[in-house]
Amino acid sequence: MTQDKQQGIIIFIAPPGAGKGSISQKCVKELGWEQLSTGNLCRKNIEKGTELGQKIDFAIKSGRLVSDDLIVAMVRDWFLMSQDKKKTILLDGFPRTVPQAMAFKDMIETDFPLTKVLIVQLKVSDEELTKRLTSRLTCSNKNCQEVYSVLESSGMVPQEPMQCDVCQSRLMQRSDDNIDTVRDRLSNYHRHEDDLLDYYSSISLPIVQINVENSLDKVFDQFKSKIGAQVL
Ligand code: AMP
């Protein structure tokens, strides 16, 4: 049903470590979609020492959420620069709270009225998430930020130890991927998850659920058959 496909915006409801970044990277490479990772944008701002970066540094390092106003402004700027894009956009890490979701709904209705918005909920246990996050390695090159794992079962082990397959930069552990910060990030996430699900139901947006306990390749196949068939 190719003729029914239209540009989409994919919103993930997914805890940190569920694989939304890795699924998004696969969509970018294999389907030509666009990815907006608010976490990556935040880290780039910190690395560059921008005014925004200085304001959000503490929140990021301690695993807390950045304020809704700052995040929404950052996303608005990104969308203004991307308005001519016709491909599907994946939101990796946004909206994370109901006020962010409400602000984003207004933005879409004004600037992207013909876009199909799909909510994708990634389901995985906290035990698995903690294992994944504390085993995660990230490329230290802020323009790359490719994600790997030291867990063989993930299918994401780098070809050379501690080296990025894509740009050959050094791999590192993110400062917020340590066990204490991971616990805080997961508890923050759960505090907002039910509210977000209720909000999307209240505005009649359908929610597609995907179990992501499997390897990335299997999850991606499931994602493509459930979501890829609906959008450009
Ligand atoms: P992530 O890479 O998605 O795990 O995000 C890393 C950190 O960036 C989070 O722990 C927050 O401090 C911040 N962050 C990213 N996206 C958001 C958002 N939508 N709202 C608030 N804080 C965010």
Side-chain angles (χ1 to χ4, degrees):
M1 299 251 287
T2 320
Q3 69 271 29
D4 290 332
K5 283 188 173 189
Q6 58 191 103
Q7 185 190 16
I9 292 183
I10 312 292
I11 294 178
F12 288 108
I13 298 191
K20 53 189 177 340
S22 303
I23 296 171
S24 300
Q25 282 173 16
K26 270 187 158 306
C27 291
V28 170
K29 281 181 204 145
E30 294 185 25
L31 308 174
W33 293 1
E34 284 280 321
Q35 172 189 14
L36 165 59
S37 160
T38 43
N40 284 355
L41 272 188
C42 287
R43 286 184 287 278
K44 273 189 193 166
N45 274 281
I46 293 175
E47 174 89 354
K48 286 187 190 152
T50 63
E51 201 183 326
L52 175 66
Q54 287 166 24
K55 282 187 194 157
I56 63 182
D57 190 40
F58 178 72
I60 302 275
K61 292 198 174 120
S62 56
R64 294 190 195 162
L65 290 185
V66 171
S67 78
D68 291 333
D69 288 352
L70 290 177
I71 288 285
V72 168
M74 199 171 80
V75 169
R76 200 182 296 279
D77 284 350
W78 188 90
F79 268 90
L80 279 178
M81 289 190 318
S82 313
Q83 233 160 5
D84 54 338
K85 303 246 168 73
K86 292 283 168 276
K87 284 287 185 177
T88 286
I89 296 169
L90 300 133
L91 297 185
D92 171 2
F94 177 89
R96 264 175 157 99
T97 64
V98 171
Q100 290 180 18
M102 292 169 102
F104 187 64
K105 177 174 177 278
D106 289 346
M107 209 187 303
I108 293 298
E109 283 173 357
T110 313
D111 297 333
F112 293 85
L114 299 177
T115 305
K116 183 168 194 165
V117 179
L118 293 170
I119 312 289
V120 180
Q121 185 184 15
L122 304 184
K123 306 266 289 181
V124 54
S125 71
D126 274 11
E127 194 190 352
E128 172 69 15
L129 289 170
T130 306
K131 195 168 79 179
R132 283 188 195 176
L133 286 166
T134 52
S135 310
R136 183 160 79 170
L137 295 171
T138 305
C139 178
S140 57
N141 173 356
K142 287 288 177 281
N143 292 318
C144 177
Q145 300 198 30
E146 191 86 3
V147 172
Y148 300 88
S149 172
V150 295
L151 293 176
E152 288 291 342
S153 59
S154 66
M156 293 166 64
V157 174
Q159 284 163 14
E160 296 292 330
M162 298 310 283
Q163 181 178 297
C164 178
D165 296 351
V166 178
C167 72
Q168 281 72 52
S169 299
R170 187 177 50 83
L171 301 183
M172 51 160 228
Q173 188 182 41
R174 263 170 51 175
S175 61
D176 57 353
D177 279 345
N178 67 74
I179 185 73
D180 290 332
T181 312
V182 162
R183 280 202 196 102
D184 288 346
R185 288 162 68 200
L186 289 177
S187 93
N188 264 332
Y189 171 77
H190 289 301
R191 206 170 319 132
H192 295 289
E193 182 186 48
D194 286 346
D195 291 346
L196 280 168
L197 289 170
D198 288 348
Y199 173 67
Y200 292 130
S201 298
S202 78
I203 56 170
S204 305
L205 278 178
I207 297 165
V208 179
Q209 290 190 339
I210 298 184
N211 181 320
V212 290
E213 300 259 350
N214 284 317
S215 71
L216 179 59
D217 283 343
K218 282 194 183 144
V219 169
F220 188 54
D221 283 345
Q222 221 187 328
F223 181 87
K224 274 191 295 193
S225 71
K226 286 191 175 179
I227 307 297
Q230 301 189 50
V231 286
L232 284 173

